[in-house]
Amino acid sequence: MKKQFSIIFIAVLFFNGLNAQGLLNKSAQLFTRQDTLRGSITKERAWWDLKNYHLNIKVNPADSTISGSNTIKYQVIQEYNSMQIDLQNPMNITKVIQEGKTLKYKREGNAFFIELIAPQTKGALKEITIFYGGKPKVAVNPPWDGGITWKKDSNGNSFIASSCQGLGASVWWPNKDHMYDEVENMLISVNVPKNLMNVSNGRLQSVTNMKDGTKTYNWYVSNPINNYGVNINIGDYVSFSERFKGEKGNLDCTYYVLRDNLAKAKEHFQDVPRMLKAFEHWFGPYPFYEDSYKLVEAPYLGMEHQSSVTYGNKFKNGYLGRDLSGTGWGLKFDFIIIHESGHEWFANNITYKDIADMWIHESFTNYSESLFVEYYYGKEAGFEYVRGTRKGIDNDKPIIGNYNVNNEGSGDMYPKGGNMLHTIRQIVNNDEKWRGILRGLNSTFYHQTVTTKQIEDYLGQQVGIDLSTVFNQYLRDTRIPTLEYFFKDNQFGYRWTNCVAEFKMPVKVTLNGKEELLQPEIEWKSIPVNSENSILEIDKNFYVAGFNITE
């Protein structure tokens, strides 16, 4: 037989990790007890529910240390007398107090187990204070390899910031470092030298001038917040503000930049109201009106810290001046402003319980970039953008990682996950219904931590078809589903191959000039056609391959 590859197949076939045995087995990877302590809901975590943190710290640029305390308010769910608090080496807990008594604790790597003396009665509200200090891990390649960044600006002033997704907030402060339990509200008090300012999450409540000449900035977060979303940004900041008239009224937007960048920022940060207008259209109201929106210059590329989005894209459009989609549309906006702010809906509003499900953050936010383009430049522009991101797909390993060990999956969660969502949109084939689904996600799971199953079930229910094998294909396998077809004896035959067991997914095609919605399965189906000179075109908005078999 003569094999002929369609154009769409050529565009997407060449990749690593082809596995013809169905779902790809997770790569052989060894995990330690430390991975389990960090990534699972241990007995020492499960019995208490977070209510409030008061993180009260001193940041000393002179010796790169952080010291202070975290007072934790919690409710007892089940009686128990051992509490796990996480703090990573080389940081160290120095004292623990509850109800005026100093408590004993033991350290096991990055986990501390505190022996409680006071009765922990079910339903009781309790408080414990953890004192700590040390030199936190220095960020090597933030935000990917995080920690604390200690730099100087062009005027010689300290320029300091935290970034710690994946690595964990316990790299610089003691907490219950698992995503399943978000604190309900938080006070962040940060003491810095008098010539510097600290910007953290939420709203600035007060600035206290200390007797030693330093200043303490007190920020209050009134909404639930995940641990890695908590941040410090310290520098010689100046600020300017505006109000965005949004779906829930006036949203306070404040921008903090280094002194020399003020004029540049006032012009460049006009992408913020454009972003808010587009994303409120697609996703619903900005989720944190009470805590405001802030964009804060940082000494690294950027991160989605809740209500305190950090920015280091050098006041350029694209990704440091590059278009990741290769289409030209990516140079119409500042990638960091749009992408990291998109995480306010998908990461900070809807948050994964386990980092294995990080696709919930990154796939939707990658897809949000194309929705921004579509809102301002038209539907085909947005479609072209998301298709362009396919060149960044490696198909190296599954998008979903290993559970309960703090392990994230493939970086394909960005472009491949975005194209999976774009493909599902084509199945819906109704733009307003699709917009309603995206907005419904943000209202249904408002300020919640979620699992992949919850998101999969919701999308399937709202779309109205069983999408389980679609998710298995794109999230848990590395292969690109292939529409295999032939024209013979006045029949058009077609089926899915290179796919998971029982894979079912509708696909739009143009058959001899007429648009059709096929319902292929793994078994052959056929319909009558005039097989002479028949032509099939697969809708390029489906992330699939095509394979024409002819004799």
Side-chain angles (χ1 to χ4, degrees), residues 165-205:
Q165 186 181 16
L167 178 63
S170 56
V171 72
W172 65 278
W173 60 285
N175 60 82
K176 186 183 194 177
D177 206 0
H178 192 288
M179 299 290 285
Y180 87 99
D181 189 6
E182 289 189 344
V183 71
E184 294 178 10
N185 47 67
M186 182 171 184
L187 177 62
I188 307 167
S189 300
V190 182
N191 178 261
V192 296
K194 62 181 179 181
N195 64 316
L196 302 175
M197 174 187 292
N198 172 72
V199 182
S200 289
N201 316 79
R203 291 184 183 268
L204 184 62
Q205 298 291 295

Side-chain angles (χ1 to χ4, degrees), residues 359-360 362-368 386 415-427 434 438 441 455 459 471 474:
W359 77 272
I360 297 168
E362 300 302 348
S363 298
F364 281 96
T365 305
N366 173 278
Y367 181 59
S368 77
V386 70
K416 185 176 180 180
N419 274 279
M420 176 190 72
L421 295 171
H422 185 62
T423 297
I424 294 173
R425 177 182 181 176
Q426 310 314 307
I427 297 170
W434 180 241
L438 296 175
L441 277 167
I455 301 301
L459 288 173
F471 291 120
Y474 290 102

Side-chain angles (χ1 to χ4, degrees), residues 191-485:
N191 178 261
V192 296
K194 62 181 179 181
N195 64 316
L196 302 175
M197 174 187 292
N198 172 72
V199 182
S200 289
N201 316 79
R203 291 184 183 268
L204 184 62
Q205 298 291 295
S206 63
V207 181
T208 305
N209 293 307
M210 310 302 288
K211 291 181 180 179
D212 62 0
T214 60
K215 291 183 177 180
T216 297
Y217 289 82
N218 299 293
W219 295 85
Y220 182 70
V221 185
S222 62
N223 287 294
I225 185 169
N226 63 60
N227 289 333
Y228 85 82
V230 176
N231 71 342
I232 53 173
N233 302 282
I234 299 166
D236 181 25
Y237 287 121
V238 292
S239 67
F240 62 101
S241 301
E242 64 180 325
R243 281 188 169 180
F244 172 76
K245 296 186 182 300
E247 290 190 16
K248 289 179 67 174
N250 289 325
L251 172 62
D252 294 321
C253 300
T254 307
Y255 311 104
Y256 294 87
V257 296
L258 294 180
R259 189 171 301 277
D260 291 350
N261 293 331
L262 182 60
K264 198 183 302 183
K266 283 185 175 180
E267 179 179 353
H268 193 75
F269 285 2
Q270 292 176 25
D271 261 359
V272 170
R274 294 203 325 137
M275 171 277 300
L276 289 166
K277 186 176 181 181
F279 287 170
E280 286 209 334
H281 169 82
W282 286 110
F283 303 142
Y286 173 75
F288 308 105
Y289 270 72
E290 302 84 356
D291 289 326
S292 79
Y293 172 92
K294 297 186 298 298
L295 190 64
V296 187
E297 188 175 357
Y300 60 91
L301 187 60
M303 194 73 204
E304 68 261 24
H305 303 106
Q306 184 173 308
S307 74
S308 181
V309 175
T310 45
Y311 175 85
N313 202 39
K314 301 185 183 301
F315 305 96
K316 296 179 179 181
N317 277 358
Y319 181 97
L320 293 172
R322 295 182 291 116
D323 175 10
L324 297 182
S325 77
T327 64
W329 295 115
L331 297 178
K332 298 288 187 181
F333 61 93
D334 186 307
F335 177 91
I336 292 299
I337 293 176
I338 304 310
H339 179 91
E340 302 305 344
S341 298
H343 277 306
E344 293 282 47
W345 284 265
F346 294 97
N348 299 336
N349 184 37
I350 304 173
T351 308
Y352 57 68
K353 285 186 176 178
D354 191 303
I355 199 173
D357 292 333
M358 190 174 171
W359 77 272
I360 297 168
H361 293 196
E362 300 302 348
S363 298
F364 281 96
T365 305
N366 173 278
Y367 181 59
S368 77
E369 299 157 24
S370 67
L371 296 179
F372 175 87
V373 172
E374 178 176 343
Y375 187 84
Y376 287 104
Y377 304 105
K379 188 172 179 178
E380 184 48 42
F383 282 20
E384 187 178 350
Y385 178 90
V386 70
R387 294 195 306 264
T389 64
R390 292 176 187 173
K391 66 188 183 69
I393 299 174
D394 293 325
N395 284 307
D396 56 345
K397 61 181 181 179
I399 285 174
I400 293 179
N402 295 277
Y403 289 100
N404 301 315
V405 286
N406 198 51
N407 174 251
E408 63 188 62
S410 170
D412 281 351
M413 69 180 78
Y414 293 80
K416 185 176 180 180
N419 274 279
M420 176 190 72
L421 295 171
H422 185 62
T423 297
I424 294 173
R425 177 182 181 176
Q426 310 314 307
I427 297 170
V428 173
N429 199 29
N430 181 319
D431 291 344
E432 280 307 298
K433 181 177 179 180
W434 180 241
R435 184 166 79 99
I437 290 171
L438 296 175
R439 290 173 66 95
L441 277 167
N442 278 279
S443 59
T444 301
F445 301 108
Y446 183 73
H447 290 179
Q448 292 182 33
T449 58
V450 300
T451 64
T452 283
K453 185 177 188 307
Q454 287 176 281
I455 301 301
E456 288 183 358
D457 289 350
Y458 180 87
L459 288 173
Q461 290 163 7
Q462 297 301 311
V463 172
I465 65 172
D466 181 3
L467 293 174
S468 59
T469 61
V470 175
F471 291 120
N472 282 342
Q473 184 71 48
Y474 290 102
L475 297 178
R476 301 176 177 89
D477 198 275
T478 62
R479 295 169 294 169
I480 303 170
T482 302
L483 184 67
E484 189 175 70
Y485 62 94

